[in-house]
Amino acid sequence: MSEENGASKSEKLSNPQTWVDVHGDFLFGYAILRLKDTSTAEDAVQETFLAALNARDSFRGQSGERTWLVSILKNKIIDHFRRLSREVDFHNNDIDVIDDDFIASGPSAGTWKAGQRPSEWVVDVANLAEQKEFWEYLRKCIDRMPPHIGMVFILRDIENMKNEDICNVLTVQPTNLRVILHRARKRLRRCLEKIWLNTERSER
């Protein structure tokens, strides 16, 4: 009985020899956006295929094959960030220093300084995820972030991890996490405005 069930589970997956051809490019694209380094992304994808091969009998068919592979890859990426976080200083980020973009004191404290408020985006936000060009610019902007800022942004705003889980993975305090995330989003917005939105406007 157990052998029949095991065979049934395995039959729901395609031949592992086809995985690289069918899923390789997609998984690499997923990994390179998050890991930034080509060699590291390739290693993560290879580790994903190996882990999937070893765990193929546990596949229950509750999700598609690619979704299952992506979930394994996501765990590999999180493991990479966990190792990398040991080499990155998340605590020396001047969290007590008032951000230069905001008024520090007085009745307007905490509001944008003159000329620092971000401009309004005149873009179709609903369709951004489907625009290949947008993802290319997004990757460039993430590449420009310092490691500690990039990791926090990727885990929170791309992987949609909870703050508590990110703190556990990166061993960072919640207060530091909020500050780093704020700076990540601000850097990203400025970068996209500079290298993407300006290009969009110039082509109109």
Side-chain angles (χ1 to χ4, degrees):
M1 182 71 174
S2 60
E3 291 181 357
E4 291 179 358
N5 289 339
S8 176
K9 292 175 185 176
S10 296
E11 288 174 359
K12 294 179 181 179
L13 290 172
S14 63
N15 187 333
Q17 294 182 353
T18 68
W19 288 353
V20 173
D21 291 336
V22 175
H23 305 295
D25 288 345
F26 179 87
L27 294 179
F28 176 77
Y30 184 98
I32 193 65
L33 175 63
R34 292 153 175 82
L35 299 175
K36 301 190 287 186
D37 178 72
T38 299
S39 178
T40 304
E42 290 175 345
D43 289 345
V45 172
Q46 290 177 0
E47 291 174 6
T48 295
F49 284 135
L50 180 60
L53 185 64
N54 292 332
R56 63 189 184 279
D57 289 338
S58 66
F59 179 74
R60 300 182 181 279
Q62 296 176 345
S63 61
E65 180 176 273
R66 176 167 291 183
T67 300
W68 179 64
L69 290 170
V70 168
S71 68
I72 296 174
L73 176 57
K74 180 176 180 178
N75 286 330
K76 298 299 179 183
I77 292 171
I78 292 174
D79 287 342
H80 171 77
F81 283 163
R82 182 180 287 110
R83 292 191 298 270
L84 188 60
S85 69
R86 299 168 188 162
E87 306 171 6
V88 176
D89 185 4
F90 285 92
H91 308 288
N92 185 24
N93 292 311
D94 302 323
I95 63 173
D96 294 327
V97 177
I98 297 296
D99 198 304
D100 289 339
D101 289 341
F102 299 96
I103 297 173
S105 60
S108 300
T111 60
W112 291 97
K113 290 182 179 179
Q116 297 301 319
R117 180 183 295 276
S119 58
E120 294 294 330
W121 284 14
V122 186
V123 295
D124 187 356
V125 178
N127 293 326
L128 285 182
E130 300 177 1
Q131 296 182 20
K132 181 179 179 181
E133 185 180 26
F134 168 77
W135 287 105
E136 291 175 352
Y137 284 122
L138 177 64
R139 178 186 165 189
K140 290 179 181 179
C141 289
I142 294 175
D143 286 347
R144 296 181 180 185
M145 293 182 182
H148 68 286
I149 292 180
M151 282 191 286
V152 167
F153 174 79
I154 289 169
L155 292 178
R156 182 64 184 86
D157 286 348
I158 295 183
E159 293 296 346
N160 294 317
M161 286 182 63
K162 296 180 180 179
N163 286 4
E164 180 180 358
D165 294 334
I166 297 174
C167 288
N168 291 333
V169 169
L170 302 180
T171 317
V172 59
Q173 295 298 317
T175 302
N176 286 39
L177 179 68
R178 288 192 294 271
V179 172
I180 295 170
L181 185 58
H182 165 74
R183 292 177 176 175
R185 290 168 175 168
K186 186 173 67 175
R187 282 173 178 264
L188 178 67
R189 180 175 184 123
R190 285 180 168 174
C191 180
L192 288 175
E193 287 179 346
K194 181 178 180 180
I195 71 171
W196 178 56
L197 288 183
N198 285 344
T199 301
E200 291 273 304
R201 296 186 185 109
S202 65
E203 292 178 351
R204 291 174 184 171

